[in-house]
Amino acid sequence: MLISCGDALIDFVPTRNAEGREAVMPAVGGSCLNVAIGMARLGAPTGFVGGISTDLFGRMIADHATASHVELGLATRSDRQTTLAFVRIVAGESHYAFYDAETATRNWTYRRGSIPFADVEALHVGSTTLVNDQGAAETKALIADALMSSTISFDPNCRPNLVKDMSAYLARMAEFAQSADLIKMSDVDFAYLFGDEPYQQRASALLGQGTSLVVITLGNNGAIAWHAGAGQIEVTAPKVEVADTIGAGDSFQAALLFALHKQGRLARQQLKAISADELRRALSFAANCAGLTCTRPGADPPWSREITWPL
């Protein structure tokens, strides 16, 4: 099984009403839930770990995840409110306003002993759950239990408007990176975390500390990856008509993990031994899945029937 742990929320996505005025449309989101949905829709056995409310929006989230074949038995349901995020597109980038005080996601606690990690091939973590102290602490405990048997995937998926102490946040992201076998981040997140540092310099440092694969997504310029054995790999992005970019990075992450799983290269030792051709194929598949996600509004990753795995 593949597991994604973190945020599950409702995005209010920008649209237009019949009179052409600005409006918003509720859509299930949350980076880590999107990753779980993306993996499950592609055909991987997938579970989600995190807090989901029993309120109206929480039921929307649960129904959406279940319809996408995500196993929710490891999630924690509570009567706390659902996190809400209002999205506005500025210069092609999605900007968020979060309403996240005392919510089900923010107050999630890890139930030690509840997850059979021997059966978990990979654990993905990241995004808003890691901003607050409790979410970060609970995720660290989860990773500590998973490390012996599961590959750790990490995407910081930064949300600057939630960060109150930048130096503490940078230290926290560095700590999570130290535990990760696979790190993926967007070029925007890279700039937020590392400024003008050259990509290759930072990738080399991350590989030097034990990470097997570092990937930076570059929007419509594709993606670039570094691997200790396979070297540097670049792939292009498909040319598509963009509705919005919401969930594109999550779709890329989900498809990359699925592709590695399908190739038998997701387990820690197998990931270390991946060839350049295998890695290129996985990255190209991920880029195509992200491109398809961009053609429709909201976080709506593709199903296996919509995109062909390059055999």
Side-chain angles (χ1 to χ4, degrees):
M1 174 179 276
L2 311 183
I3 287 179
S4 184
C5 169
D7 48 342
L9 51 82
I10 296 293
D11 285 323
F12 284 85
V13 181
T15 186
R16 297 275 177 179
N17 63 18
E19 291 75 36
R21 299 177 61 186
E22 288 189 8
V24 291
M25 174 183 68
V28 174
S31 177
C32 294
L33 181 68
N34 292 341
V35 171
I37 287 171
M39 294 189 296
R41 286 184 176 185
L42 290 171
T46 304
F48 174 75
V49 176
I52 300 177
S53 178
T54 55
D55 67 9
L56 169 66
F57 291 127
R59 293 194 297 274
M60 284 177 59
I61 291 169
D63 290 347
H64 181 70
T66 300
S68 296
H69 309 306
V70 175
E71 169 57 52
L72 293 182
L74 301 176
T76 302
R77 303 299 299 271
S78 76
D79 60 2
R80 294 180 180 272
Q81 296 181 95
T82 297
T83 300
L84 306 180
F86 288 80
V87 188
R88 193 171 185 86
I89 309 299
V90 180
E93 290 289 336
S94 301
H95 293 252
Y96 294 82
F98 289 92
Y99 294 81
D100 191 32
E102 301 301 319
T103 60
T105 289
R106 187 166 185 143
N107 287 274
W108 163 75
T109 55
Y110 166 47
R111 294 173 291 167
R112 301 202 75 161
S114 64
I115 300 175
F117 285 110
D119 300 325
V120 176
E121 190 174 13
L123 167 68
H124 174 72
V125 301
S127 197
T128 61
T129 305
L130 307 185
V131 175
N132 67 81
D133 293 342
Q134 178 176 329
E138 298 295 330
T139 305
K140 287 176 188 175
L142 175 68
I143 291 173
D145 286 351
L147 268 175
M148 290 297 294
S149 56
S150 306
T151 296
I152 307 301
S153 164
F154 170 52
D155 177 3
N157 196 40
C158 308
R159 295 290 178 253
N161 58 326
L162 294 179
V163 175
K164 307 301 182 186
D165 183 335
M166 184 62 174
S167 61
Y169 180 74
L170 292 175
R172 179 173 291 170
M173 294 302 99
E175 185 176 355
F176 278 103
Q178 287 177 349
S179 301
D181 300 288
L182 187 162
I183 299 172
K184 191 276 291 181
M185 69 188 92
S186 70
D187 51 355
V188 175
D189 288 343
F190 186 96
Y192 181 68
L193 294 172
F194 306 114
D196 295 329
E197 182 178 353
Y199 293 150
Q200 186 168 359
Q201 180 175 305
R202 175 55 55 172
S204 295
L206 293 170
L207 294 176
Q209 71 182 24
T211 299
S212 292
L213 178 61
V214 178
V215 182
I216 298 174
T217 55
L218 307 170
N220 58 14
N221 291 316
I224 184 168
W226 292 265
H227 184 274
Q232 180 176 317
I233 306 289
E234 296 185 50
V235 297
T236 59
K239 304 299 182 184
V240 298
E241 186 173 339
V242 176
D244 64 44
T245 60
I246 298 168
D250 304 327
S251 182
F252 185 101
Q253 183 84 43
L256 177 60
L257 292 171
F258 169 81
L260 294 170
H261 161 76
K262 190 171 180 69
Q263 293 177 113
R265 291 297 188 185
L266 186 52
R268 181 171 292 125
Q269 293 304 316
Q270 295 300 321
L271 181 60
K272 289 180 179 179
I274 195 170
S275 70
D277 286 344
E278 289 171 320
L279 181 54
R280 188 183 309 279
R281 187 175 0 163
L283 292 165
S284 294
F285 179 76
N288 281 308
C289 286
L292 182 55
T293 302
C294 289
T295 66
R296 45 210 193 191
D300 189 7
W303 293 82
S304 58
R305 61 180 177 268
E306 296 180 284
I307 192 159
T308 302
W309 169 251
L311 295 173

